Amino acid sequence: MKKSLKRTFRVSKYVIYKETLVDYKEHFWSFLGAFFGIGLIAFIQSHSLTETENIFLIGSFGASSVLIYGAIQSPLAQPRNLVGGHVLSALVGVTVYKIVPDIIWLSAPLAVAFSIVLMQYTKTLHPPGGATALIAVSSTGKIPELGYWYVISPVLSGCIILLLVALFFNNVTPNRSYPTHSRFKKLLRKKHAHGHVNPHKLKK
């Protein structure tokens, strides 16, 4: 009994240690990824729209940034989930808004609930997608006027920008790998291997 308790205590200490371990390099790359990802979207918006039309920076992109730059190993942060989750949820949100535009107490829960089920069914579950669907039915001004164009821009265009930035900053060092798909990992290993030139071969 004592041995079992001691072992449990040791395991608990190790888990707590791992969870609270501060990796400053990881935080540095997470910061840069989020900074450039959101920054690029904001930069494009500031040069193509007026200040009152801040539609490119939808709130759900902030939540996505937490996942794809800060929790890159999460299944919910993978490219399929990022793009698929947002796009499908946007489609659901716009469709629900067109059917019940003036009944927010009905359109809001319908949009979120349907988006969750659709993401589950297509294996593209991405929590910020629920917010994307909600924005489509609850926003005022420019976004409702976009209709299905909302799906293309800002949603799809924003996802592509976030993804491209993630592919760079999440693979800039050998310690980071994104996406987690085995095929992509093999490609990364080959690239890193080609990047290191064998000095013996050069002598020959």
Side-chain angles (χ1 to χ4, degrees):
M1 183 69 178
K2 285 183 179 179
K3 287 183 179 179
S4 177
L5 285 171
K6 284 181 180 179
R7 186 177 179 280
T8 304
F9 180 68
R10 283 199 305 270
V11 171
S12 300
K13 277 179 69 179
Y14 178 74
V15 170
I16 293 169
Y17 168 76
K18 289 290 286 183
E19 289 297 319
T20 56
L21 190 64
V22 176
D23 188 339
Y24 294 105
K25 290 180 181 177
E26 280 292 308
H27 296 173
F28 173 73
W29 293 116
S30 296
F31 172 85
L32 283 184
F35 181 85
F36 280 98
I38 296 297
L40 272 174
I41 297 173
F43 179 79
I44 293 169
Q45 173 181 289
S46 66
H47 283 76
S48 59
L49 298 171
T50 63
E51 290 182 7
T52 56
E53 295 178 324
N54 57 338
I55 57 169
F56 279 8
L57 275 175
I58 57 175
S60 51
F61 286 162
S64 289
S65 295
V66 175
L67 284 169
I68 66 170
Y69 304 122
I72 64 176
Q73 299 300 314
S74 170
L76 306 178
Q78 302 311 302
R80 175 191 176 98
N81 300 73
L82 169 69
V83 179
H86 274 297
V87 169
L88 291 174
S89 296
L91 281 167
V92 169
V94 174
T95 302
V96 170
Y97 181 79
K98 285 184 175 294
I99 296 170
V100 279
D102 300 318
I103 315 172
I104 190 65
W105 60 265
L106 181 61
S107 62
L110 276 176
V112 175
F114 272 124
S115 68
I116 291 171
V117 173
L118 187 57
M119 285 189 287
Q120 287 176 326
Y121 184 76
T122 56
K123 296 180 180 178
T124 57
L125 196 62
H126 188 65
T132 297
L134 188 59
I135 289 166
V137 299
S138 63
S139 296
T140 56
K142 188 75 175 176
I143 287 180
E145 296 172 11
L146 292 174
Y148 285 106
W149 185 253
Y150 169 73
V151 181
I152 305 300
S153 181
V155 176
L156 179 59
S157 59
C159 285
I160 291 171
I161 291 170
L162 293 175
L163 177 58
L164 290 175
V165 173
L167 289 172
F168 176 76
F169 284 103
N170 292 343
N171 295 296
V172 76
T173 68
N175 297 326
R176 291 169 70 86
S177 177
Y178 178 84
T180 57
H181 197 281
S182 57
R183 287 182 183 175
F184 191 82
K185 281 184 175 180
K186 286 177 182 176
L187 283 172
L188 277 178
R189 283 172 193 161
K190 286 179 181 177
K191 284 182 180 179
H192 284 304
H194 287 311
H196 297 287
V197 180
N198 191 333
H200 297 293
K201 287 183 179 180
L202 288 175
K203 288 178 182 179
K204 292 178 182 178

